[in-house]
Amino acid sequence: LTYPWYNGKYTKSNEVNRDWFNSWKNVSVVDAEDMDLHLPKKNEFLAEDLSLRAKPDEKSDIPIKILDSGLCQAWWKQDDMFGLPKSKIGIRLYSSFSSDNVRNSVITSFWCSALMEELNEYAYDAEVAGLYYSLSGNSVGVTLMVAGFNDKLELLLDVVVNKMRSLNEIKEVTFDLIKDKLVRSYRNAAFKQKPYVL
């Protein structure tokens, strides 16, 4: 038989070879372990509570400042259009270090990329569960964004912030990978720039 789209060949059969069938019936957990077959580990980022939070009495078209301590500000706006149990948190850490000179700007970008590389395993599980994050260096410091289902967003934020606090040393393999990516990125940017025209 031929599948009508893509012309793929396949066979349809109502009978399974009895020897195969019997061998499948008698497979034990020990056999599966011997063949290195196992279920994936539990994804700690999968949302369990998908309920919607109550809408505020007053609707606002712009974000409302809910905290201003002098050290930090927090702004909030309810999504009143889509009705999804999702949130987005943006945190900007201000530091003059990244804007002091070009070297510091590159170090900041490098550190952000290295941290994201170190968190790839967590990022995959989080992404499968509908959570995302980004970390980037900019002229005023570092910006961290986390987004996705409310229920486990705090867990992802904790994982990222804890890694930010504890990343004192970058593995050599990570260093080489990020260095290669950044060098290619800077070279590509240099080739794409048009010369100044007076």
Side-chain angles (χ1 to χ4, degrees):
L1 298 169
T2 303
Y3 195 64
W5 300 275
Y6 312 115
N7 295 321
K9 305 281 186 201
Y10 70 97
T11 302
K12 186 174 180 180
S13 174
N14 292 331
E15 291 185 25
V16 176
N17 179 310
R18 280 280 143 215
D19 292 336
W20 281 5
F21 184 76
N22 289 332
S23 70
W24 295 336
K25 281 175 73 174
N26 298 324
V27 172
S28 70
V29 173
V30 175
D31 294 333
E33 289 172 354
D34 288 344
M35 293 184 280
D36 199 26
L37 299 174
H38 53 83
L39 292 172
K41 66 180 175 55
K42 181 182 176 188
N43 187 341
E44 61 187 328
F45 295 107
L46 286 173
E48 296 168 17
D49 177 9
L50 296 175
S51 62
L52 295 174
R53 304 298 185 254
K55 289 186 180 180
D57 296 333
E58 295 180 30
K59 182 179 174 184
S60 176
D61 293 332
I62 60 172
I64 301 165
K65 189 187 293 187
I66 57 173
L67 174 70
D68 190 353
S69 70
L71 182 60
C72 75
Q73 293 180 346
W75 297 77
W76 176 81
K77 181 173 183 323
Q78 174 92 22
D79 169 24
D80 52 10
M81 182 178 285
F82 298 106
L84 297 172
K86 291 188 172 185
S87 296
K88 183 175 186 179
I89 300 171
I91 300 170
R92 180 168 285 158
L93 304 172
Y94 292 95
S95 169
S96 60
F97 175 84
S98 63
S99 62
D100 279 347
N101 54 52
V102 174
R103 180 179 182 275
N104 289 359
S105 177
V106 170
I107 289 171
T108 302
S109 293
F110 195 98
W111 180 82
C112 291
S113 297
L115 189 131
M116 289 184 70
E117 183 64 32
E118 292 287 319
L119 284 173
N120 259 345
E121 183 180 336
Y122 284 106
Y124 176 79
D125 285 347
E127 193 171 326
V128 166
L131 300 173
Y132 307 91
Y133 86 99
S134 66
L135 184 69
S136 58
N138 51 54
S139 62
V140 295
V142 173
T143 300
L144 170 62
M145 298 291 289
V146 291
F149 292 106
N150 317 336
D151 187 39
K152 298 297 176 88
L153 200 58
E154 186 178 348
L155 175 61
L156 177 60
L157 182 60
D158 284 345
V159 167
V160 176
V161 169
N162 286 334
K163 189 64 172 180
M164 290 170 73
R165 276 195 296 224
S166 67
L167 186 65
N168 297 325
E169 191 174 306
I170 298 171
K171 296 175 191 167
E172 187 175 346
V173 66
T174 302
F175 181 90
D176 292 341
L177 180 73
I178 301 305
K179 177 184 168 191
D180 184 53
K181 281 183 183 178
L182 280 177
V183 167
R184 279 188 281 128
S185 171
Y186 292 143
R187 283 188 181 144
N188 288 340
F191 286 126
K192 289 180 183 174
Q193 282 185 343
K194 295 180 181 176
Y196 290 106
V197 178
L198 299 175

